[in-house]
Amino acid sequence: MFVIVNGVTRPLPEPRTLTALLISLSPKTPFAVAHNEEFVSRGDYAACRISPGDRIDIVHPTAGG
Amino acid sequence: MKERQIDDQLVIYGRRFSSRLLLGTARYESPSLLDDAIRAADPAMLTVSLRRQVAGSADSGQSFWNLLRETKRTILPNTAGCLSPHEAIKTACMARELFQTDLIKLEVIGDEVSLQPDPFGLVEAANQLVRLGFQVLPYCTEDWILCRRLMDVGCQVLMPWAAPIGTGQGPRNPRALRELRERVPNIPLIIDAGIGLPSHACQVMEWGFDGVLLNTAVSRADDPVRMAGAFASAIKAGRSAFLAGPMIVQETAVSSTPEIGRPFATDFSTPLATAT
């Protein structure tokens, strides 16, 4: 079973929480996360349950105008 | 000296800045060029964005983040590319956590060709973001009703375009921009987008605008660092000219050199009837 992280298929972690997913991915800081196109604040990662097929966006700082 | 000349700082949501230039960080050929341009421009704020990590990149924006932090400038995240209020709001929320600031340059694009703001979506997004505690700097047009609606929902700064993003055309609608300035004398107005030359920036500052936000005009110049310095000088010159109070334009010629005492002049004050 999989989730989609930044458009790429990844294995669904155990337990099925955003925290577990982020531990497995180890994105470099700083980053922010959206789950199924909704922002998830850092304090809510542990409570955010993820299911097969969910879409996760992890964003980083970039140049902008 | 008038009071406004003594304490002439740009005030954005209570934050005071001696510089009136806001600089975008995109489209520089290298991080070191961006760093040098920042030093030359001495900007009040740096605009930034957020994106997914590029596949295969080990950096994840960390070097950019380190560069930003070292500049010690105020960071202004944007919602560039968002096409709906919902998209802009969630992007703003992510930006707030990422950059640790309530400031947000709000973009809700209504047309992907002209990159013109969607006025309806912009007001809706601004309204919700203000309620969420954001300090919103909306990228808007010079349309008076749109600007009024944005102020109505709590925007304390407006950022009308001069021309479409990245075109460098300079102010397309000077009359409306100047009318906007007259209608809202007490709210910071920052020209955002469409500026191409330092003379454009100087001109809008002469009209009384409070600041200029630049990106492409600097980053895509042949020599971005030199251009950054040129813009910084132009913005200061325009601001000084505004504060100095420009002369009133006259319909007819007015000699600047005194006429009285000019040699060989006919003295019309002498009575003509004295000759016999």
Side-chain angles (χ1 to χ4, degrees):
Chain A
M1 289 189 283
F2 299 95
V3 289
I4 316 280
V5 180
N6 288 351
V8 177
T9 303
R10 302 278 185 189
L12 191 66
E14 285 297 338
R16 293 179 179 185
T17 65
L18 190 52
T19 298
L21 179 69
L22 291 171
I23 288 170
S24 72
L25 294 172
S26 303
K28 290 187 177 156
T29 54
F31 63 86
V33 180
H35 172 227
N36 289 337
E37 303 192 354
E38 295 298 333
F39 167 64
V40 183
S41 68
R42 205 165 291 147
D44 294 334
Y45 290 168
C48 180
R49 305 284 304 172
I50 52 178
S51 304
D54 281 1
R55 297 178 312 282
I56 310 293
D57 280 287
I58 304 174
V59 294
H60 298 271
T62 191
Chain B
M1 189 180 283
K2 292 175 184 175
E3 190 181 338
R4 63 181 177 171
Q5 291 168 290
I6 297 167
D7 185 22
D8 183 43
Q9 290 190 308
L10 175 64
V11 182
I12 303 288
Y13 288 101
R15 301 163 197 244
R16 305 179 77 83
F17 303 96
S18 54
S19 171
R20 292 174 175 274
L21 192 162
L22 286 71
L23 190 65
T25 55
R27 305 187 70 191
Y28 290 85
E29 288 196 358
S30 70
S32 68
L33 204 52
L34 166 62
D35 195 26
D36 290 345
I38 292 169
R39 290 175 205 277
D42 187 24
M45 295 188 191
L46 294 172
T47 57
V48 297
S49 197
L50 45 82
R51 289 288 183 266
R52 288 172 171 174
Q53 181 182 353
V54 177
S57 165
D59 186 62
S60 303
Q62 234 172 2
S63 60
F64 177 66
W65 176 242
N66 291 338
L67 187 156
L68 285 182
R69 287 202 301 185
E70 284 166 17
T71 68
K72 296 184 168 53
R73 307 280 168 173
T74 299
I75 300 301
L76 177 60
N78 69 25
T79 63
C82 290
L83 299 171
S84 71
H86 181 65
E87 222 178 306
I89 291 162
K90 67 190 179 194
T91 301
C93 290
M94 295 172 93
R96 177 154 68 179
E97 185 170 89
L98 198 52
F99 296 105
Q100 297 291 296
T101 179
D102 291 329
L103 292 167
I104 190 76
K105 177 188 164 185
L106 177 60
E107 293 184 32
V108 181
I109 299 301
D111 180 64
E112 291 181 85
V113 174
S114 68
L115 301 180
Q116 183 168 342
D118 171 355
F120 307 100
L122 191 61
V123 172
E124 185 183 333
N127 188 21
Q128 292 190 45
L129 288 170
V130 168
R131 288 164 188 261
L132 290 169
F134 283 89
Q135 297 172 331
V136 180
L137 292 86
Y139 161 62
C140 57
T141 67
E142 70 278 15
D143 182 274
W144 165 238
I145 305 303
L146 168 60
C147 290
R148 207 175 64 193
R149 294 280 183 259
L150 289 167
M151 289 186 287
D152 288 346
V153 299
C155 294
Q156 297 177 25
V157 178
L158 298 175
M159 300 211 298
W161 67 354
I165 295 171
T167 62
Q169 294 172 358
R172 267 185 170 184
N173 195 348
R175 183 182 292 268
L177 284 170
R178 298 185 76 170
E179 285 175 2
L180 176 63
R181 177 72 286 180
E182 287 169 14
R183 296 294 294 270
V184 283
N186 298 320
I187 189 166
L189 294 179
I190 295 167
I191 293 291
D192 177 12
I195 294 290
L197 292 168
S199 56
H200 299 152
C202 187
Q203 176 131 71
V204 298
M205 295 303 291
E206 288 171 3
W207 296 341
F209 283 84
D210 295 280
V212 174
L213 197 161
L214 302 161
N215 192 149
T216 311
V218 171
S219 64
R220 304 314 291 172
D222 288 344
D223 183 342
V225 180
R226 185 181 288 259
M227 190 60 87
F231 268 107
S233 299
I235 289 167
K236 284 180 189 162
R239 181 64 183 177
S240 291
F242 169 71
L243 293 174
M247 64 166 283
I248 297 166
V249 174
Q250 306 294 313
E251 289 297 323
T252 56
V254 180
S255 173
S256 50
T257 303
E259 272 294 302
I260 296 170
R262 181 169 64 84
F264 320 119
T266 304
D267 186 354
F268 293 111
S269 64
T270 305
L272 294 173
T274 54
T276 55

